[in-house]
């Protein structure tokens, strides 16, 4: 039986000495006091520090998780950058510091670092990617661009590199092809895409407070100072791509709970009402038509039902509920969207930019092509003289990526550019012809990649997505991955030989 002490209990730990102060307590208390003082004197700076610390913490946890599940370092770097591109877009793209006046772009450093690591560790697999004709077209465009840079870089410096990035971003097709050689990679990438689309949806809902976010956000820039938060370039395009992904592939990735995919589809369609991007109204119609043509009636029915449901929810919230929501260029209500859709035809007194402005910019850029029709203008000189009123900078390219390629690279480069897209469409047509023998899950992915390709090219007719890394880098990676799935995983085992993603010896 244990001995019972007659001494009164003090409630203190054994070994405690009265009057002794724990050094760790002093340090923690001092740091808290210091942070509290800084927060009182400089609340905006303190908020920025807290946000930065939170972001670093999330990146650290994400890094540990991805390394734990067996991803290689190049894959980790790539996924972090792609997430930044797809969610924070223009803000993340411009995070940079300068050395001697030369900008060092953080996002480019990460994705090019990922490319270098992948090439060094998988040289045998990189060689196999050259079997893809689309990549051969990319290398031909890079060769022509390199010849231009021999002349243009000494004349225009970093501006030539800035304009030429639209060609070099195509190199990330390699990373998609190499990743696609891995067995059973679709499950992980599918979950990652759902997470990214969900983050983009939540971020898009903050658009009504975009000006406040921009004012609070830290700023960085390559040529202009740009806030990290408060940019929504391409957010609407990603919303529709995400909604279509949840319809086409979501059930294969997350079957439980079933309502989750439905909620994500509805939420992203509602997000389009806030971002108010006209091209995505047309994009919805295009996706519906394609799903009917390829015989995907169930997927067509889901999208066809969810669009009016989203409109009904919007009307219920804004009209019946009386909630006033500010969109990108106008209020979120049915009357605005009727006028916004009418503006596509050039109707007067309607919201949104005049479609005729795109024609004016295209004609000015075509003047550069007519002056250099064979090999193009090259890089370094802006293709337009229009001044952006928001920042006072010259608009360097028309809102049409194909015209940019034609003006920059001439008929020679534009022919290779068309051949690149022909190769992509041909591979998708091959997948469609073999759909009866294909793995259903892989074919669902391939179908979404094709729809994503069509939506992206639709955007490229009225905007400049290929000229900005935040849209071009994810596009080339996803296209490379989709082409790799078709080449190495679409048909059942035994039909085609599949290379293995293993480190080179």
């Amino acid at each position: 039986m244990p001995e019972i002490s007659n001494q009164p209990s003090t409630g203190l730990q054994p070994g405690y000495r009265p009057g002794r102060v724990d050094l760790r307590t002093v340090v923690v208390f001092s740091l808290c006091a210091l942070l509290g003082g800084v927060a009182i004197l400089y609340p905006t700076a303190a908020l920025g520090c807290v946000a930065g610390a939170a972001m670093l913490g999330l990146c650290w946890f994400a890094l540990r998780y991805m390394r734990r599940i067996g991803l290689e370092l190049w894959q980790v770097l790539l996924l972090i950058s792609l997430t930044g591109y797809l969610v924070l877009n223009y803000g993340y793209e411009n995070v940079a510091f300068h050395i001697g006046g030369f900008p060092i772009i953080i996002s480019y450093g990460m994705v090019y670092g990922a490319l270098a690591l992948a090439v060094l560790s998988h040289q045998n697999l990189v060689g196999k990617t050259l079997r893809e004709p689309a990549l051969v077209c990319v290398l031909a465009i890079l060769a022509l661009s390199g010849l231009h840079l021999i002349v243009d870089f000494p004349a225009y410096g970093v501006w030539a590199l800035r304009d030429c990035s639209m060609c070099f971003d195509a190199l990330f097709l390699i990373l998609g092809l190499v990743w696609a050689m891995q067995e059973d990679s679709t499950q992980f990438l599918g979950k990652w895409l759902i997470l990214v689309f969900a983050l983009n949806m939540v971020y898009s809902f903050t658009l009504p407070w975009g000006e406040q976010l921009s004012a609070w956000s830290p700023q960085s820039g390559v040529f202009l100072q740009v806030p990290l938060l408060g940019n929504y370039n391409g957010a609407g395009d990603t919303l529709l791509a995400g909604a279509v992904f949840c319809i086409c592939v979501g059930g294969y990735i997350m079957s439980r709970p079933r309502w989750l995919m439905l909620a994500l589809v509805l939420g992203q369609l509602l997000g389009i009402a806030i971002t108010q991007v006209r091209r995505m109204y047309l994009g919805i119609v295009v996706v519906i038509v394609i799903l009917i043509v390829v015989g995907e009636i169930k997927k067509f029915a889901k999208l066809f039902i969810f669009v009016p449901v989203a409109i009904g929810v919007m009307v219920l919230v804004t009209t019946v509920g009386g909630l006033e929501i500010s969109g990108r260029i106008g209020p979120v209500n049915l009357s605005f969207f009727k006028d916004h859709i009418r503006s596509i035809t050039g109707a007067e007194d309607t919201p949104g930019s005049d479609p005729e402005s795109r024609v004016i910019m295209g004609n000015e850029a075509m003047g550069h092509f007519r002056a250099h029709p064979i090999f193009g203008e090259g890089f370094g000189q802006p293709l337009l003289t229009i001044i952006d009123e928001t920042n006072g900078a010259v608009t360097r390219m028309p809102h049409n990526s194909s015209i940019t390629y034609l003006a920059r690279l001439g008929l020679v480069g534009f022919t290779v550019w068309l051949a690149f897209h022909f190769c992509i469409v041909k591979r998708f047509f091959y997948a469609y012809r073999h759909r009866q023998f294909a793995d259903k899950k892989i074919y669902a992915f391939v179908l979404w990649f094709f729809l994503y390709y069509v939506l992206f090219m639709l955007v490229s007719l009225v905007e400049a997505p290929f000229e900005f890394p935040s849209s071009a880098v994810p596009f080339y990676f996803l296209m490379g991955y989709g082409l790799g799935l078709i080449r190495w995983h679409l048909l059942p085992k035994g039909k085609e030989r599949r290379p293995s993603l293993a480190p080179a010896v």
Side-chain angles (χ1 to χ4, degrees):
M1 183 174 184
E3 183 179 351
I4 300 176
S5 173
N6 294 325
Q7 298 295 326
S9 174
T10 61
L12 302 176
Q13 294 295 328
Y16 174 80
R17 298 178 182 177
R20 182 183 178 184
V21 179
D22 189 352
L23 182 60
R24 289 177 297 179
T25 304
V26 174
V27 172
V28 171
F29 178 79
S30 301
L31 287 175
C32 292
L34 179 62
L35 291 174
V38 171
I40 293 173
L41 295 175
Y42 307 101
T44 303
L47 182 62
C49 291
V50 171
M55 185 172 296
L56 288 175
L58 287 174
C59 290
W60 182 74
F61 279 113
L63 178 63
R64 288 195 60 185
Y65 171 75
M66 286 188 282
R67 293 304 300 273
R68 190 174 71 248
I69 62 177
L71 293 183
E72 298 178 40
L73 181 57
W74 69 269
Q75 295 173 307
V76 174
L77 292 175
L78 179 63
L79 286 184
I80 291 175
S81 284
L82 289 176
T83 303
Y85 280 141
L86 288 169
V87 179
L88 299 178
N89 50 73
Y90 196 52
Y92 175 74
E93 173 186 308
N94 278 272
V95 176
F97 60 93
H98 293 73
I99 298 178
F102 191 87
I104 306 298
I105 307 173
I106 303 299
S107 61
Y108 259 170
M110 294 181 69
V111 290
Y112 274 104
L115 180 61
L117 289 172
V119 170
L120 290 174
S121 58
H122 301 291
Q123 297 178 29
N124 58 330
L125 300 184
V126 172
K128 291 182 175 67
T129 63
L130 293 175
R131 299 175 185 174
E132 190 59 49
L135 182 58
V136 176
C137 295
V138 164
L139 297 179
I141 292 176
L142 290 179
L144 181 59
S145 303
L147 293 175
H148 272 296
L149 284 180
I150 293 174
V151 177
D152 296 336
F153 183 72
Y156 305 111
V158 293
W159 286 107
L161 292 176
R162 182 251 179 268
D163 293 336
C164 190
S165 66
M166 64 182 294
C167 299
F168 283 97
D169 289 343
L171 277 172
F172 298 106
L173 196 78
I174 296 174
L175 292 182
L177 287 166
V178 172
W179 200 317
M181 294 180 192
Q182 181 179 2
E183 294 287 346
D184 302 325
S185 60
T186 54
Q187 190 69 16
F188 174 80
L189 272 182
K191 290 181 179 180
W192 169 74
L193 280 170
I194 289 175
L195 175 62
V196 168
F197 292 140
L199 290 174
N200 179 68
M201 179 188 69
V202 174
Y203 184 55
S204 298
F205 287 154
T206 66
L207 191 148
W209 303 277
E211 292 185 2
Q212 292 92 323
L213 283 176
S214 298
W216 295 339
S217 171
Q219 296 191 1
S220 183
V222 181
F223 298 103
L224 297 171
Q225 290 296 305
V226 177
L228 177 63
L229 304 175
N231 299 286
Y232 301 91
N233 306 62
D237 309 321
T238 306
L239 283 168
L240 181 55
V244 175
F245 183 86
C246 292
I247 290 174
C248 293
V249 188
Y252 291 101
I253 303 302
M254 298 180 66
S255 58
R256 294 289 186 274
R258 297 186 64 178
W259 57 265
L260 180 60
M261 289 299 107
L262 304 179
L264 285 175
V265 172
L266 181 60
Q268 289 176 100
L269 291 177
L270 290 172
I272 295 175
I274 298 176
T275 55
Q276 297 175 341
V277 182
R278 288 178 296 187
R279 56 187 176 270
M280 286 303 102
Y281 309 156
L282 179 60
I284 292 174
V285 177
V286 170
V287 170
I288 288 176
V289 171
I290 291 175
L291 290 176
I292 294 174
V293 171
V294 300
E296 296 289 343
I297 303 303
K298 290 184 178 180
K299 296 178 177 60
F300 148 74
K302 288 181 181 179
L303 183 58
F304 189 74
I305 292 172
F306 267 104
V307 170
V309 169
I311 295 174
V313 172
M314 179 191 69
V315 172
L316 185 65
V317 170
T318 57
T319 304
V320 180
L323 183 63
E324 295 183 2
I325 303 174
S326 298
R328 183 176 63 91
I329 58 177
V332 178
N333 56 50
L334 193 58
S335 176
F336 170 85
F337 285 103
K338 290 179 180 178
D339 291 338
H340 203 205
I341 293 173
R342 287 178 53 237
S343 70
I344 299 176
T345 64
E348 297 182 358
D349 300 324
T350 53
S353 60
D354 186 356
E356 188 178 352
S357 63
R358 302 291 198 271
V359 178
I360 295 173
M361 288 188 288
N363 288 335
E364 185 174 354
M366 287 298 292
H368 292 266
F369 163 70
R370 288 187 288 269
H372 308 276
I374 306 302
F375 294 103
E377 170 83 19
F379 307 100
Q381 287 279 64
L383 298 178
L384 303 179
T385 57
I386 299 173
I387 304 297
D388 189 336
E389 296 179 357
T390 60
N391 52 35
V394 176
T395 302
R396 301 187 64 82
M397 75 289 288
H399 284 46
N400 187 310
S401 291
S402 295
I403 293 178
T404 301
Y405 270 99
L406 184 61
R408 295 287 187 197
L409 299 178
L411 283 174
V412 174
F414 189 69
T415 301
V416 181
W417 171 246
L418 291 179
F420 166 75
H421 291 284
F422 173 78
C423 293
I424 289 179
V425 174
K426 183 180 178 181
R427 293 299 292 170
F428 283 127
F429 183 67
Y430 168 86
Y432 174 72
R433 287 195 300 112
H434 291 80
R435 64 192 182 281
Q436 292 182 345
F437 310 102
D439 180 282
K440 291 184 178 180
K441 179 180 177 181
I442 300 299
Y443 180 73
F445 266 91
V446 170
L447 174 63
W448 178 78
F449 282 120
F450 175 67
L451 295 173
Y452 175 78
Y453 169 80
V454 172
L455 290 175
F456 196 92
M457 294 308 298
L458 177 65
V459 174
S460 74
L461 297 177
V462 293
E463 291 294 339
F466 285 101
E467 289 88 323
F468 293 93
S470 54
S471 51
V473 173
F475 169 81
Y476 284 116
F477 168 75
L478 292 173
M479 283 301 100
Y481 186 78
L483 294 174
L485 285 184
I486 297 173
R487 177 171 289 274
W488 293 301
H489 297 280
L490 179 68
L491 299 180
K493 290 184 178 181
K495 293 286 185 179
E496 292 186 2
R497 182 176 178 271
R498 302 177 185 178
S500 174
L501 183 58
V505 178

